Amino acid sequence: MHQPHALGGVMNGSFLHRGSRGSCLVLSSTPTLWPFVVRALGFDLASLTTKDAVFKSVVGDVHPRVVGGGDSGSVQAVFGSATEMSRLPRDHWVQHRVPHVCTLEEEESLPHRKGWVSNTCDFLHNGMGGVTNASFRMGVSVPEERHQILGQPAPFPRQAAASLWNVMDSTVHAAAVTDTDTIAWLERTPADCARPQFYHRLLDPRGVAPRKGLETMKVLAPCVFSPTKWGVRQLSSKELAGVFDVPILMQERLMRMGPAGEQLMRGLCKGHPGKVLHLGGDHLLSLFCRGGWSVGTSGVSDGVRNHREEHQNTLNKIRVAAEDAARLSKMDKGDLLIQGIKQDGQKADDAEVPTHLWDGMWMRSRNEQGFGSMESWMGKPLDTNEGEDQPRWRQALEVMRDKWLLQRWRRNVTKSFCDWFADSVMMGRRSHERPVVRWSERRKVGDRAEPGYVWTYHGRGDYKRWWESLRQKRHGDIMESGREAIERATSATWWDWAGGSSLFFWRWPISHVRWAREGQPHFTTASLPNYKKPQRKAPSSETQELMNAKVNKVRWRRYICLGPVCSLTHMFSVPKGLHDIRMVYDGTKSGLNDCLFAPHFSLPVMAHTLRSLLKGYYGADLDMMIMAKFIAYGDRTDESNPFRWESVVLNLPGDPDYDPTLPWVMKVRKDGHLASEMLEEDETALPRKALEKARGFLIYVGRTYRWMNPYLKGLHLTIDGWRPDRDEEGYRIKKRNRGREIEDELRWKEEEEAFERGEREDLEKHEEGEEDQEAPETVRAAPRFRGDIDALLQLTAGEEPAIQRCRVEGSMTAVYLGGDASGKGFGAAMWDDEEVVYSAGSWNATHSQESSNWREATNLTLKVEEMAAEGRLDGKELWIFTDNSTYESAFYKGEPWTAPRPKGDDDQEKRAFWSRGRGNRWESELLVKLDPGDWFRLQEIKGHRLWIPPPAAMETVMELFAEDHLVNPHLAHVFIVPRLMTHLWRRQLFRDADVHFYVYAGAPFWPRSMHEPLTVAIVFPLAHVP
């Protein structure tokens, strides 16, 4: 297919997915590419018959189980040369009635054997996307019972040829070409790229190559060391290997072996090329074998097979539960739920509680449980008294809540504190260890004896001394905190904390009781400020009245008490709804923020709720602090607990059973439904000027509509383009001092996040030395500003907000797209549950001069657009695989981004990691490896955390880590994650990590077959120093 960016067109094709073809035998006395091709054909190499020791050693790296030599076992196919197969004994043909695929020389034919059918085909190398124009013959011998009888065999579909240019290395020295006629020839586009082109007996690399004499042939070669950028030389061993399709990894392996490896590489170039063996062998097996081939065993162990069956059953249970929920939601009119949606006028803090919704849900639950109607009840509860606006049953509910349930709750709160104080404070501090009483059957009670407890020999004295010492100790702080909490509980109504609220600290986990009572210790980096400047008035009298009401409410509820004033804190307001405000307490102007160290904490966003939602599920808005959320979760095994769950199920991309209609990480109940969740979401954004106000709003909206984020870059560049460290397009100018640049970048990122959370009013003063520079009233639009605004206008042009598709619906599948274009050629392959569709070609002279990042992006972008135009992506989930981090960053953010690295010696960091982490211990506490089942019960896990999750699950892991790090700052966290899907987690992880480094493939515990390096990040525990 012709494409303007491709030299000679684009080669397209497809093939269906096939299961394992079983094991095979390779026969070759000389080096051949068959051992490397059979794996691509779907076979496992069971045995290799060869006399070349070096060749056998290299094959052993690819097929470690191959010992070479004798018994082939129950193979499903035999590969080799026709010469080797002609030497096989008769017993072999009797025992192995399987397809035999072989290579033949020109005009050679297969001998006739009784009970076997033989066929031969000729294949053009350049017709299979190869570099040479040679024809290669292959044959297949099939048992009669397996032979597929055809009329006229279908020819192999011709593919676009590659050029010799694709395998040429311009960094190899060559004799410079200075002849002007030759240079003029090279500047012209070759007339026919499918045939070898010569100029004065010099081979033109822009076409295909001949097979004969190629090793000694002089070639016009690109050369960076030549003044004309062209030279004349022979092909190197590595270039010859590229011509004959030797795998790239094998080329590198052989080049490292020195002369022996180079000799073996030239030996591999004397046989059939790899593309001919691969595509030709597959063509012969599919064309002449009934059923295509014999499917062998997959080699999956029983444990893996059982685990996969269990995983499939769990996913099926979840699908059934989701269908039930969707069916019930269609039957549910949802009148009460629709009424429960917050309107603008209901967002004020003093908005009336919609008690009718709670009463209606009670009545609805009663009806669903099968209770009879109230119409025949004495007192007629469905009637309404004269002068009342509520029926009698609702009035009865209000009385029951206020006069009985509320009183009982207050009594339970008081009793729970008294019991806890007696058990944990009083008796829990006994200083004596020996028993003070014992059981006696004849205890004296007056003049009679009866069973009961009596003092031990030292018991009375021990108890007396303990009681006297206990009376001398003071527990006033505990009693005062408990008294305050109980007093506030007695002032509370059923719907509101009228007298304010205090934590019921005695109900918290033992590890956090003191923090709940006294507060979490502050991490100070300097002395606290002494700021006494008075508060500024609000811009309007109406706003001032609202602010006064907010502050007075805090005072009336005794959150601010009388006492000496050491420092003041300013405050300001931002709109909330239509008629209310939200108070913001500013710790920056007073200098409080400068002397406090606050660990970074990532706030969850709307996308995190999708983990617990399926079609037909409902959600509610609750305000819950993180530690209280862990308490509210309760016992996850209790069947009456609404937050109960049984197991954690991973449904990750790339898994054989991956279902794009389900979440990636799921907490699942026994009935197959997803467990209920509680998530917190930040709603604060502080606008200032017109553009900054728009930016704050769009950043907030972008948390739900992630596809908007790449188009906010123009807005960022415009707002901050006036600064002296920006270029004409608004981008930051790189500094010579790399360490200083990292510090500035980290500080700017932190301030940018603070602005997004509403903790900063502006983003102006983010550079040292800029405090005295006043921001201009107007800013110049960045070059990309208009294009980004046009894109945002087009994306938000609808009357209604866009529907964000979270997951595909129905029985859809995931589509995977991989591609590479860093060299002189390009290619891409898309595979789904049915087939693999591929395309490949060579860049033309113009596009080949572009950067590798540009070629990578262009190759994949054009493929995605082509697939979308053909309808291949309709209703499907697309996954793109690339080894180019720049394109990955541009795909998700609209700009390249490199994660900043903290200063420090990498070697020292690694030594510190291995010395402190040796033996899975962190100083005196265990380093606990967390399994998926542990992620959602971290409050029960004792010890430091070792996270080794799949990269696709890291988004959920980072959400849970952020909560745990805030609740337990005294614990360390170690992350070990392959460097994949980094857009989901790397930026957040590196911001929290104190140390991070990479372990590249090739380490003893991380082999080269893993390709991507391991990311190791360490978050040290925080130590409080008074």
Side-chain angles (χ1 to χ4, degrees), residues 73 116 399 441 447 498 513 544 553 584 976:
W116 292 76
V399 172
E441 297 292 340
D447 297 335
V513 167
Q544 186 65 51
K553 185 177 181 179
V584 180
I976 303 178

Side-chain angles (χ1 to χ4, degrees), residues 764-785:
E764 290 183 6
K765 300 175 182 179
H766 67 282
E767 290 280 359
E768 290 187 6
E770 294 184 7
E771 286 79 358
D772 298 332
Q773 297 185 18
E774 184 177 354
E777 294 294 332
T778 59
V779 291
R780 181 180 58 87
R784 61 173 291 175
F785 178 73

Side-chain angles (χ1 to χ4, degrees), residues 43 74 147 192 200 247 286 296 298 340 348 365 464 484 516 533 539 574 627 642 723 805 812 859 886 961-962 1009:
F43 291 96
S74 58
H147 183 255
D192 186 2
H200 297 314
S286 303
S298 62
S365 174
K464 183 178 180 180
E484 180 184 352
K533 290 185 179 181
V574 294
M627 195 63 213
R723 304 183 185 280
R805 175 170 289 185
M812 298 295 181
N859 175 47
T886 302
F961 154 74
S1009 58

Side-chain angles (χ1 to χ4, degrees), residues 533-539 544 547 570-572 589 761:
K533 290 185 179 181
Q535 167 73 32
R536 293 185 303 174
K537 289 186 177 181
Q544 186 65 51
M547 292 179 63
H570 283 190
M571 63 198 76
F572 57 93
K589 292 185 178 180
E761 295 184 60

Side-chain angles (χ1 to χ4, degrees), residues 205-316:
R206 297 174 296 174
V208 296
R211 179 188 182 187
K212 295 182 179 179
L214 187 60
E215 293 185 5
T216 58
M217 189 174 296
K218 293 293 184 68
V219 181
L220 289 169
C223 181
V224 297
F225 305 108
S226 171
T228 60
K229 302 304 180 184
W230 287 95
V232 177
R233 61 177 174 85
Q234 296 178 347
L235 294 180
S236 65
S237 299
K238 190 173 182 180
E239 291 170 335
L240 279 173
V243 170
F244 283 86
D245 310 320
V246 178
I248 296 177
L249 295 179
M250 187 52 56
Q251 294 180 31
E252 297 176 353
R253 167 76 167 82
L254 296 175
M255 292 299 294
R256 290 195 298 267
M257 293 175 59
E262 186 174 357
Q263 182 179 358
L264 176 57
M265 186 156 37
R266 288 187 173 270
L268 293 173
C269 299
K270 295 180 180 180
H272 285 45
K275 290 182 179 179
V276 174
L277 296 180
H278 182 195
L279 300 178
D282 184 77
H283 182 72
L284 294 173
L285 289 172
S286 303
L287 197 62
F288 298 108
C289 298
R290 184 174 300 162
W293 58 88
S294 175
V295 179
T297 60
S298 62
V300 179
S301 64
D302 293 338
V304 174
R305 186 180 297 107
N306 294 336
H307 174 75
R308 182 174 178 183
E309 291 178 357
E310 181 181 351
H311 185 66
Q312 291 174 341
N313 294 335
T314 303
L315 292 180
N316 290 333

Side-chain angles (χ1 to χ4, degrees), residues 583-612:
M583 292 291 292
V584 180
Y585 296 92
D586 184 8
T588 302
K589 292 185 178 180
S590 64
L592 181 62
N593 290 344
D594 294 335
C595 60
L596 290 179
F597 171 76
H600 174 260
F601 171 60
S602 299
L603 293 172
V605 295
M606 183 62 67
H608 293 159
T609 64
L610 304 178
R611 185 184 66 247
S612 56

